[in-house]
Amino acid sequence: MTSDAAAVRRAALVYNPVKVDVRRLRAQVLHAAVASGWGAPLFFETTPDDLGQGQTRTALAQGADAVLVAGGDGTVRAVAEALAHTGVPLTIVPSGTGNLLARNLRLPLDDPDRVITTAFTGETALIDVGFAELHRVDGTTQTHAYVVMGGIGLDAAMIANTRPSLKKSVGWVAYVDGAARSLVGAAPFRIVYQVGDQRLHSARVQSVLYANCGSLPAGLSLIPEASVTDGTMDVVLFQPKAWWGWLFVWRRVAWDNSVLRRFRAGRRVLQLRTSDNAVRYMRGRTMEVAAAEPHPVQLDGDEFGEAVRIVSRIDAAALRVTVPAGHDLSRL
C-alpha cells in the first residue's frame, strides 16, 4: 500500500433504515465524501438487537476517521456511547421524531446536505456525555450513556405507554397519549437521593430526571440553564401535590421556562412570584437515587427496563461533534 493510499481518510455512516430514505442518504454521504477528497464511506445499518454501538465499534476497528449517525434519538445515543472518549468526531444527521441532541446543539434540522458536509469540512466541538449505572432488583447492573437526559418514574412510564404506531404517524406528539395513559395509575414513590457532595435527601416524587441538555421539541425548555459543555448534570424532581399540582408543572415548563425567561420583564415577574415545590432543580457532576421498589427507566427516550437504584455521572468533554463552520458555540 502506498503512503498516499494510507493517508486517505474514510467516514462511516451508521443509520436506522426505518427512520431514513436509505438510498438518498447513502448517495448524499458518498457525494460529500468524494467532493471533499475522502475515500468511499463505510455503511452500517442498525438492527433491533444492536441500536448502533456494535456497528460504531466495527467502524472504528476498520479505521473510520469520522462517524455520521442518522436515526432517532436512541440511535444517536447508542453511537455516541461507542464514540465517547475516542476523539473520533460524530456528525448528527437529523432524522426521526425528536432530534433532541441536534436541537440542543442548534444544528439545522431541515438541511441534511449542509449537516452531512460538516463531517468532512466543518468544525468540531467537545460536549459532555452522561453515563447511568442501572441497578436491577435481581442485583445485576448495566451502564449506558445518554446525551440528552434520563429518568426514572413517570417520564419513563410515559415512554413505555406510548404506542409505536402513533409515534410513527404523528411524531413526538404521540407522547401526549403516553402521558395520558400513564397519569391514570400514577402514584408518587419515596426515594433517597444525593446530588454531588450535597447531603442525602429523601422525597416523594413522580419522576426524577438527570439531564445533559434542557430543550424539548415545540420550543419547550425543561431546564433553561442546562448546557452540554459545562461538565455538570442538571437534576429535576417532579413532585406535584395531587392532580392540580401538574398545572404548576406545566406552567413552569411551558410558560415560565419557555416564554417568560426569554424577556427581561418576564424574568422580573418570576423573581416576584412565590415559589412552589412541584418542580425542583439541582446541579452536580454526579447523582445517586434509590427507591424501595423497581421503577421504569428511560435514557434519551428509550425504555431501559426497571431499576431500584441509579448512579449517574457526567463525563466532561467526552464526545467530539461536528458543527457547520462559524456555528455559534457560546450558547451550547
Side-chain angles (χ1 to χ4, degrees), residues 240-250 278:
K241 301 293 191 296
W243 66 266
W244 59 83
W246 289 107
L247 299 177
F248 293 108
V249 173
W250 179 250

Side-chain angles (χ1 to χ4, degrees), residues 114 122-123 323-329:
R114 183 185 178 199
E123 301 174 355
V323 297
H327 191 66
D328 183 7
L329 301 177

Side-chain angles (χ1 to χ4, degrees), residues 113-157:
D113 284 324
R114 183 185 178 199
V115 174
I116 289 169
T117 300
T118 68
F120 310 100
T121 63
E123 301 174 355
T124 62
L126 290 171
I127 68 170
D128 307 333
V129 176
F131 287 89
E133 182 183 273
L134 311 179
H135 294 249
R136 312 295 189 182
V137 71
D138 63 0
T140 61
T141 63
Q142 293 178 323
T143 300
H144 294 284
Y146 60 93
V147 289
V148 181
M149 64 185 69
I152 181 172
L154 183 61
D155 68 294

Side-chain angles (χ1 to χ4, degrees), residues 249-269:
V249 173
W250 179 250
R251 183 185 70 176
R252 176 71 68 89
V253 174
W255 180 246
D256 295 359
N257 293 349
S258 305
V259 178
L260 291 185
R261 285 184 181 272
R262 297 179 180 179
F263 307 99
R264 181 179 301 176
R267 291 191 290 271
R268 290 175 179 172
V269 170

Side-chain angles (χ1 to χ4, degrees), residues 206-248:
Q206 288 279 6
S207 183
V208 180
L209 291 179
Y210 33 100
N212 190 34
C213 303
S215 296
L216 301 175
L220 294 179
S221 180
L222 177 62
I223 312 168
E225 298 180 356
S227 168
V228 294
T229 61
D230 63 358
T232 304
M233 178 193 321
D234 289 84
V235 180
V236 188
L237 270 58
F238 292 95
Q239 43 187 26
K241 301 293 191 296
W243 66 266
W244 59 83
W246 289 107
L247 299 177
F248 293 108

